[in-house]
Amino acid sequence: MDSESLAIFTSIFTELEIKKYDSFAKKGEFSKKIAFVESGILRAYFNNDRGEEYNKTFFTEGSFVGAYSSLVTGEQNLIDIDCLTDCVLYIAEFQDITQLYDKYPHIERSARILAEYLFVKKEKREIELVTLEAKERYAIFQKEHPNLEQLIPQYHIASYLGITPTQLSRIRSKN
Amino acid sequence: MDSESLAIFTSIFTELEIKKYDSFAKKGEFSKKIAFVESGILRAYFNNDRGEEYNKTFFTEGSFVGAYSSLVTGEQNLIDIDCLTDCVLYIAEFQDITQLYDKYPHIERSARILAEYLFVKKEKREIELVTLEAKERYAIFQKEHPNLEQLIPQYHIASYLGITPTQLSRIRSKN
DNA sequence: TTCATTTCTTTACATATGTAAATGTTTTTG
DNA sequence: CAAAAACATTTACATATGTAAAGAAATGAA
């Protein structure tokens, strides 16, 4: 991004403190906001008919958090996002960003590159989910989130891996 | 896309016929090409260490086919794409498209929207893979690809569902 | 049409994972 | 600190799915 675009871009974010257990985005809403994680941990999770939760993503320091699918499609949000710890965010209206696209093509370019990057990450995860056993996915999680394991309950990690806490406990005990 | 952008965009594609079993993209290559499927069926699949295949995507009439992750990252391609039937494609160098971005922001906009759309599709699939049993994923496959089941071998569908042909056969026999 | 090849189904057994409940451990809070 | 709550582990049993091999059915080539 050129410096002018970057200046405009950063100017639309404002600081927001948000407490452990507080919600950032709710299922059923039409999501409007995106934020940069200054500090803290959030999770995005899907809730199925049977009331089971699947932790889709953990957001940590330095990443952007938002109900991305809802933001880009304008459809109802299917996932919940909330805080696993107290968080400091820099938050913006997503529309205030998309409105910059016409005047600042470099910002739209960044949006394209981000979307492409997110796709690549999702594809990687898809392949892992299908071709690897939970034990191997656990090893990958530990590599990708070296600190997280100490900071959040194990049942959230199990949910991220797509297994029950019971099964995660078994996997852990076998090493 | 405005009509000028669209005209330029379509002008860079050329027709290509490609036979059943022929390859469109190979693992290890640096992918360069993208194509529109005029007719026929292709599959993108991932091959793990143990030699097991996972069919990631089926491409049918009217869709774009390409090793998307490799194209947008410039990294080595991790997946293979080849024809399950004879195909007629309209093919282009991906770089010839990306080179248009500066001059035709509407084309880059389309690329952004496509990337966002692909992400949303992948996220949907991710959730299905984790939260649904193979039986339910099979029902979704049948809905999303109403004709495909008659046109390709069942073991390719099993591979798409992330199960063995044996398990797919069991699922089918129970309905 | 016939034979060979490919694909599909079935069987028997093994394993990863789920469920439910009991128990142990850690953390929170009054 | 003590009690309660939250979390993690273990146990016993159930189930979805894998593996390997055999047999059945469908397809394709001579």
Side-chain angles (χ1 to χ4, degrees):
Chain A
M1 229 189 262
D2 62 302
S3 59
E4 191 198 352
S5 300
L6 188 62
I8 291 283
F9 179 76
T10 53
S11 74
I12 62 178
F13 287 82
T14 61
E15 189 176 321
L16 175 69
E17 294 193 17
I18 174 173
K19 290 278 166 211
K20 188 172 177 177
Y21 304 127
D22 280 358
S23 172
F24 176 80
K26 285 200 178 74
K27 180 178 171 174
E29 284 178 352
F30 295 85
S31 269
K32 304 290 182 209
K33 291 173 193 305
I34 190 166
F36 178 82
V37 182
E38 176 68 21
S39 68
I41 305 168
L42 303 93
R43 68 174 176 128
Y45 58 100
F46 177 80
N47 227 301
N48 75 5
D49 325 328
R50 304 160 201 142
E52 300 153 352
E53 278 181 8
Y54 162 54
N55 280 166
K56 223 169 55 67
T57 315
F58 296 117
F59 302 98
T60 54
E61 210 172 299
S63 64
F64 280 93
V65 57
Y68 193 70
S69 287
S70 176
L71 289 172
V72 302
T73 63
E75 309 258 313
Q76 275 198 334
N77 181 18
L78 301 176
I79 61 165
D80 286 282
I81 302 178
D82 49 45
C83 297
L84 295 177
T85 67
D86 293 355
C87 292
V88 177
L89 307 178
Y90 288 95
I91 194 166
E93 294 289 321
F94 187 65
Q95 223 191 108
D96 291 348
I97 297 175
T98 60
Q99 273 171 1
L100 297 172
Y101 289 170
D102 279 323
K103 194 162 169 205
Y104 301 93
H106 281 88
I107 294 182
E108 180 155 23
R109 171 158 301 172
S110 299
R112 168 182 63 81
I113 292 169
L114 174 69
E116 290 170 349
Y117 164 78
L118 292 175
F119 172 87
V120 170
K121 242 175 54 171
K122 272 281 163 267
E123 177 178 275
K124 175 170 180 289
R125 179 136 172 87
E126 173 193 2
I127 291 172
E128 289 167 3
L129 284 168
V130 177
T131 64
L132 302 181
E133 308 236 309
K135 179 182 173 166
E136 301 169 279
R137 299 203 300 277
Y138 179 50
I140 290 172
F141 164 81
Q142 289 177 310
K143 218 172 194 172
E144 290 185 346
H145 297 283
N147 331 316
L148 221 47
E149 200 161 3
Q150 283 70 42
L151 299 176
I152 63 177
Q154 228 141 88
Y155 60 81
H156 276 142
I157 297 170
S159 166
Y160 176 80
L161 299 174
I163 57 178
T164 57
T166 304
Q167 183 62 11
L168 178 54
S169 182
R170 286 189 191 112
I171 289 169
R172 285 161 53 85
S173 74
K174 274 176 202 153
N175 293 315
Chain B
M1 229 188 264
D2 62 302
S3 59
E4 190 198 352
S5 300
L6 190 60
I8 290 283
F9 180 76
T10 53
S11 74
I12 62 178
F13 286 82
T14 60
E15 189 176 321
L16 174 69
E17 294 193 16
I18 174 172
K19 291 278 166 209
K20 187 172 178 177
Y21 303 126
D22 281 359
S23 171
F24 177 79
K26 286 199 178 75
K27 180 177 171 174
E29 284 178 352
F30 295 86
S31 270
K32 303 291 181 207
K33 291 174 193 306
I34 189 167
F36 178 81
V37 182
E38 175 68 20
S39 67
I41 305 168
L42 304 92
R43 69 176 176 126
Y45 58 101
F46 177 80
N47 227 300
N48 74 4
D49 325 328
R50 304 160 199 142
E52 300 153 352
E53 277 181 9
Y54 162 54
N55 280 165
K56 223 168 54 68
T57 315
F58 296 117
F59 301 97
T60 53
E61 211 172 300
S63 64
F64 280 92
V65 58
Y68 193 71
S69 288
S70 176
L71 289 172
V72 301
T73 62
E75 309 259 311
Q76 275 198 336
N77 181 19
L78 301 177
I79 62 164
D80 286 282
I81 302 178
D82 50 44
C83 296
L84 295 177
T85 67
D86 293 355
C87 292
V88 178
L89 307 178
Y90 288 95
I91 193 166
E93 294 289 322
F94 188 66
Q95 222 191 108
D96 291 349
I97 296 173
T98 60
Q99 273 171 359
L100 297 171
Y101 290 170
D102 279 323
K103 195 162 169 205
Y104 301 94
H106 281 88
I107 295 182
E108 181 156 23
R109 170 158 301 173
S110 299
R112 169 182 61 80
I113 292 170
L114 174 69
E116 290 170 350
Y117 164 78
L118 292 176
F119 172 87
V120 170
K121 242 175 55 170
K122 271 283 162 267
E123 177 177 276
K124 175 171 181 287
R125 181 138 172 85
E126 174 193 2
I127 290 172
E128 289 168 1
L129 284 168
V130 177
T131 64
L132 303 181
E133 309 237 307
K135 180 182 173 167
E136 301 170 277
R137 298 204 301 277
Y138 179 50
I140 291 172
F141 164 81
Q142 290 177 309
K143 217 171 195 173
E144 289 185 346
H145 296 284
N147 330 316
L148 220 49
E149 200 161 3
Q150 283 69 43
L151 299 175
I152 63 177
Q154 229 140 86
Y155 59 81
H156 276 142
I157 297 170
S159 166
Y160 175 80
L161 299 174
I163 56 178
T164 58
T166 305
Q167 183 61 11
L168 178 54
S169 183
R170 286 190 190 111
I171 289 168
R172 285 160 53 84
S173 73
K174 273 176 202 153
N175 293 314

